[in-house]
Coordinates of all heavy atoms in Angstrom, one line a residue:
N250 N 0.8 -1.2 0.0 CA 0.0 0.0 0.0 C 0.9 1.3 0.0 O 0.5 2.2 -0.6 CB -0.9 0.0 1.2 CG -2.0 -1.0 1.1 OD1 -2.4 -1.4 0.0 ND2 -2.5 -1.5 2.3
R251 N 2.0 1.2 0.8 CA 2.9 2.4 0.8 C 3.5 2.6 -0.5 O 3.6 3.8 -1.0 CB 3.9 2.2 1.9 CG 3.6 2.8 3.2 CD 4.8 2.8 4.2 NE 5.1 1.5 4.6 CZ 4.6 0.8 5.6 NH1 3.6 1.5 6.3 NH2 4.9 -0.4 6.0
I252 N 4.0 1.5 -1.2 CA 4.6 1.7 -2.5 C 3.6 2.3 -3.5 O 3.9 3.2 -4.3 CB 5.1 0.3 -3.0 CG1 6.3 -0.2 -2.1 CG2 5.6 0.4 -4.4 CD1 6.7 -1.6 -2.4
A253 N 2.4 1.7 -3.5 CA 1.3 2.2 -4.4 C 1.1 3.7 -4.2 O 1.0 4.5 -5.2 CB 0.0 1.5 -4.1
R254 N 1.1 4.2 -3.0 CA 0.9 5.6 -2.7 C 2.1 6.4 -3.1 O 1.9 7.6 -3.6 CB 0.6 5.8 -1.2 CG -0.2 7.0 -0.9 CD -0.7 6.9 0.5 NE -0.7 8.2 1.2 CZ -1.8 8.8 1.6 NH1 -3.0 8.3 1.3 NH2 -1.7 9.9 2.2
A255 N 3.3 5.9 -3.0 CA 4.5 6.7 -3.2 C 4.8 6.8 -4.7 O 5.2 7.8 -5.2 CB 5.7 6.0 -2.6
V256 N 4.5 5.7 -5.5 CA 4.8 5.8 -7.0 C 3.6 6.0 -7.9 O 3.7 6.1 -9.1 CB 5.5 4.5 -7.4 CG1 6.8 4.3 -6.5 CG2 4.6 3.2 -7.3
G257 N 2.4 6.1 -7.2 CA 1.2 6.3 -8.0 C 0.7 5.1 -8.8 O 0.1 5.3 -9.9
A258 N 0.9 3.9 -8.2 CA 0.4 2.7 -8.9 C -0.9 2.2 -8.2 O -1.3 2.7 -7.2 CB 1.5 1.6 -8.8
T259 N -1.5 1.3 -8.9 CA -2.7 0.6 -8.3 C -2.4 -0.9 -8.2 O -1.9 -1.5 -9.1 CB -3.9 0.8 -9.3 OG1 -4.1 2.2 -9.6 CG2 -5.2 0.2 -8.7
I260 N -2.7 -1.4 -7.0 CA -2.5 -2.9 -6.8 C -3.5 -3.7 -7.6 O -4.7 -3.5 -7.5 CB -2.6 -3.2 -5.3 CG1 -1.6 -2.4 -4.5 CG2 -2.4 -4.7 -5.1 CD1 -1.7 -2.5 -3.0
V261 N -3.0 -4.6 -8.4 CA -3.8 -5.4 -9.3 C -4.0 -6.8 -8.7 O -3.1 -7.4 -8.2 CB -3.2 -5.5 -10.7 CG1 -4.1 -6.3 -11.7 CG2 -2.9 -4.2 -11.3
N262 N -5.2 -7.4 -8.8 CA -5.5 -8.7 -8.2 C -5.3 -9.8 -9.2 O -4.9 -10.9 -8.7 CB -7.0 -8.7 -7.8 CG -7.3 -7.7 -6.7 OD1 -6.5 -7.5 -5.8 ND2 -8.4 -7.0 -6.9
R263 N -5.4 -9.6 -10.5 CA -5.2 -10.7 -11.4 C -4.5 -10.1 -12.6 O -4.8 -9.1 -13.2 CB -6.6 -11.2 -11.9 CG -7.4 -12.0 -10.8 CD -8.8 -12.2 -11.2 NE -8.9 -12.8 -12.5 CZ -10.0 -13.4 -13.0 NH1 -11.1 -13.4 -12.3 NH2 -10.0 -14.0 -14.2
P264 N -3.5 -10.9 -13.1 CA -2.6 -10.4 -14.2 C -3.4 -10.0 -15.5 O -3.1 -9.1 -16.2 CB -1.7 -11.5 -14.5 CG -1.6 -12.2 -13.2 CD -2.9 -12.1 -12.6
E265 N -4.5 -10.8 -15.7 CA -5.3 -10.5 -17.0 C -6.1 -9.2 -16.9 O -6.6 -8.8 -17.9 CB -6.3 -11.7 -17.3 CG -7.2 -12.1 -16.2 CD -6.7 -13.3 -15.4 OE1 -5.4 -13.3 -15.1 OE2 -7.5 -14.1 -14.9
E266 N -6.2 -8.6 -15.7 CA -6.9 -7.4 -15.5 C -6.1 -6.1 -15.5 O -6.5 -5.0 -15.2 CB -7.7 -7.4 -14.2 CG -8.8 -8.5 -14.2 CD -9.5 -8.6 -12.9 OE1 -9.1 -7.9 -11.9 OE2 -10.5 -9.4 -12.8
I267 N -4.8 -6.3 -15.8 CA -3.8 -5.1 -15.8 C -4.2 -4.1 -16.9 O -4.5 -4.5 -18.0 CB -2.4 -5.6 -16.0 CG1 -2.0 -6.6 -14.9 CG2 -1.4 -4.4 -16.0 CD1 -0.7 -7.3 -15.1
K268 N -4.2 -2.8 -16.5 CA -4.4 -1.7 -17.5 C -3.2 -0.9 -17.4 O -2.4 -0.9 -16.4 CB -5.6 -0.9 -17.1 CG -6.9 -1.7 -17.1 CD -8.1 -0.7 -16.9 CE -9.4 -1.4 -16.8 NZ -9.6 -2.0 -15.4
E269 N -3.0 -0.1 -18.4 CA -1.8 0.8 -18.5 C -1.8 1.8 -17.3 O -0.7 2.1 -16.8 CB -1.8 1.6 -19.9 CG -0.7 2.5 -20.1 CD 0.7 1.8 -20.1 OE1 0.8 0.7 -20.6 OE2 1.7 2.5 -19.7
E270 N -2.9 2.3 -16.9 CA -3.0 3.3 -15.8 C -2.6 2.7 -14.5 O -2.4 3.4 -13.5 CB -4.3 4.1 -15.8 CG -5.5 3.2 -15.6 CD -6.2 2.8 -17.0 OE1 -5.5 2.8 -18.0 OE2 -7.4 2.6 -17.0
D271 N -2.6 1.4 -14.4 CA -2.3 0.7 -13.1 C -0.8 0.8 -12.8 O -0.4 0.6 -11.6 CB -2.7 -0.8 -13.1 CG -4.2 -0.9 -13.1 OD1 -4.9 0.0 -12.7 OD2 -4.7 -1.9 -13.6
L272 N 0.0 1.0 -13.8 CA 1.5 1.0 -13.6 C 1.9 2.3 -12.9 O 1.3 3.4 -13.1 CB 2.2 0.9 -14.9 CG 2.1 -0.4 -15.7 CD1 2.8 -0.3 -17.0 CD2 2.6 -1.6 -14.9
G273 N 2.9 2.2 -12.0 CA 3.4 3.3 -11.2 C 4.6 3.9 -12.0 O 5.6 3.2 -12.2
L274 N 4.5 5.2 -12.3 CA 5.6 5.8 -13.1 C 6.3 7.0 -12.3 O 7.1 7.7 -12.8 CB 5.1 6.4 -14.4 CG 4.3 5.4 -15.3 CD1 3.7 6.1 -16.4 CD2 5.2 4.3 -15.7
G275 N 5.9 7.0 -11.0 CA 6.3 8.2 -10.2 C 7.7 8.0 -9.4 O 8.1 8.9 -8.7
C276 N 8.4 6.9 -9.7 CA 9.6 6.6 -9.0 C 10.8 7.0 -9.9 O 10.8 6.7 -11.1 CB 9.7 5.2 -8.6 SG 11.2 4.7 -7.8
G277 N 11.8 7.7 -9.4 CA 13.0 8.1 -10.2 C 14.1 7.0 -10.2 O 14.8 6.9 -11.2
L278 N 14.2 6.2 -9.1 CA 15.3 5.3 -9.1 C 15.0 4.1 -8.2 O 14.5 4.2 -7.1 CB 16.6 6.0 -8.5 CG 17.8 5.1 -8.3 CD1 18.4 4.7 -9.7 CD2 18.9 5.9 -7.6
F279 N 15.2 2.9 -8.8 CA 15.1 1.6 -8.0 C 16.5 1.1 -7.9 O 17.2 0.9 -8.9 CB 14.2 0.6 -8.8 CG 14.5 -0.8 -8.4 CD1 14.1 -1.3 -7.2 CD2 15.1 -1.7 -9.3 CE1 14.4 -2.7 -6.8 CE2 15.4 -3.0 -9.0 CZ 15.0 -3.5 -7.7
E280 N 17.0 0.8 -6.7 CA 18.2 0.1 -6.6 C 18.3 -0.7 -5.3 O 17.5 -0.5 -4.4 CB 19.4 1.1 -6.6 CG 19.4 2.1 -5.4 CD 20.7 3.0 -5.4 OE1 21.7 2.6 -6.1 OE2 20.6 4.0 -4.8
I281 N 19.1 -1.8 -5.3 CA 19.3 -2.6 -4.2 C 20.7 -2.4 -3.6 O 21.7 -2.5 -4.3 CB 19.0 -4.1 -4.6 CG1 17.6 -4.3 -4.9 CG2 19.5 -5.1 -3.4 CD1 17.2 -5.6 -5.4
Q282 N 20.7 -2.1 -2.3 CA 22.0 -1.9 -1.6 C 22.2 -2.9 -0.5 O 21.2 -3.4 0.1 CB 22.0 -0.5 -1.0 CG 21.9 0.6 -2.0 CD 21.9 2.0 -1.2 OE1 22.2 2.1 -0.1 NE2 21.6 3.0 -2.0
K283 N 23.4 -3.2 -0.3 CA 23.8 -4.2 0.8 C 24.2 -3.3 2.0 O 25.2 -2.6 1.9 CB 24.8 -5.2 0.4 CG 25.0 -6.3 1.4 CD 26.1 -7.3 0.9 CE 26.2 -8.4 1.9 NZ 27.3 -9.4 1.5
I284 N 23.5 -3.5 3.1 CA 23.9 -2.8 4.4 C 24.2 -3.9 5.4 O 23.3 -4.6 5.7 CB 22.8 -1.8 4.9 CG1 22.5 -0.8 3.8 CG2 23.3 -1.1 6.1 CD1 21.3 0.1 4.1
G285 N 25.4 -4.0 5.9 CA 25.8 -5.1 6.8 C 25.7 -6.4 6.0 O 26.3 -6.5 4.9
D286 N 24.9 -7.4 6.5 CA 24.8 -8.7 5.8 C 23.5 -8.8 5.0 O 23.3 -9.8 4.4 CB 24.8 -9.8 6.8 CG 26.2 -9.9 7.5 OD1 27.2 -9.5 6.8 OD2 26.3 -10.5 8.6
E287 N 22.7 -7.7 5.0 CA 21.4 -7.8 4.4 C 21.2 -6.9 3.2 O 21.9 -5.9 3.1 CB 20.3 -7.5 5.4 CG 20.3 -8.5 6.6 CD 19.1 -8.3 7.5 OE1 17.9 -8.5 7.0 OE2 19.2 -8.0 8.6
Y288 N 20.3 -7.3 2.3 CA 20.0 -6.5 1.1 C 18.7 -5.7 1.3 O 17.8 -6.2 1.9 CB 19.8 -7.4 -0.1 CG 21.1 -8.0 -0.6 CD1 21.5 -9.3 -0.2 CD2 22.0 -7.4 -1.5 CE1 22.7 -9.9 -0.6 CE2 23.2 -7.9 -1.9 CZ 23.5 -9.2 -1.5 OH 24.7 -9.7 -1.9
F289 N 18.8 -4.5 0.9 CA 17.6 -3.6 1.0 C 17.2 -3.0 -0.3 O 18.1 -2.5 -1.1 CB 17.9 -2.5 2.0 CG 18.1 -2.9 3.4 CD1 19.3 -3.4 3.9 CD2 17.0 -3.0 4.3 CE1 19.5 -3.8 5.2 CE2 17.1 -3.5 5.6 CZ 18.4 -3.9 6.1
T290 N 15.9 -3.0 -0.6 CA 15.4 -2.4 -1.8 C 15.0 -0.9 -1.6 O 14.3 -0.6 -0.6 CB 14.2 -3.2 -2.3 OG1 14.5 -4.5 -2.5 CG2 13.5 -2.5 -3.5
F291 N 15.6 0.0 -2.4 CA 15.2 1.4 -2.3 C 14.5 1.9 -3.5 O 14.9 1.6 -4.7 CB 16.5 2.2 -2.2 CG 17.2 2.1 -0.9 CD1 18.1 1.0 -0.6 CD2 17.0 3.0 0.1 CE1 18.8 0.9 0.6 CE2 17.7 2.9 1.4 CZ 18.5 1.9 1.6
L292 N 13.3 2.5 -3.3 CA 12.6 3.2 -4.3 C 12.6 4.7 -4.0 O 11.9 5.1 -3.1 CB 11.1 2.7 -4.4 CG 10.9 1.2 -4.8 CD1 9.5 0.8 -4.5 CD2 11.2 1.0 -6.3
T293 N 13.5 5.4 -4.6 CA 13.7 6.8 -4.2 C 13.5 7.8 -5.4 O 13.2 7.3 -6.5 CB 15.1 7.0 -3.7 OG1 16.1 6.4 -4.6 CG2 15.3 6.3 -2.3
K294 N 13.7 9.1 -5.1 CA 13.5 10.2 -6.1 C 12.1 10.1 -6.6 O 11.9 10.3 -7.8 CB 14.5 10.1 -7.2 CG 15.9 10.2 -6.7 CD 16.9 10.2 -7.9 CE 18.4 10.3 -7.4 NZ 19.3 10.2 -8.5

């Protein structure tokens, strides 16, 4: 829910019901960083 609100996407229940407007285009950068021994996903900008 947080990701949907941050990037302007809509959560889809079934793949066959996907529409173009459901995609989130509001994120500037996706990257995965390693901090310590664990990997963290960042959706920033």
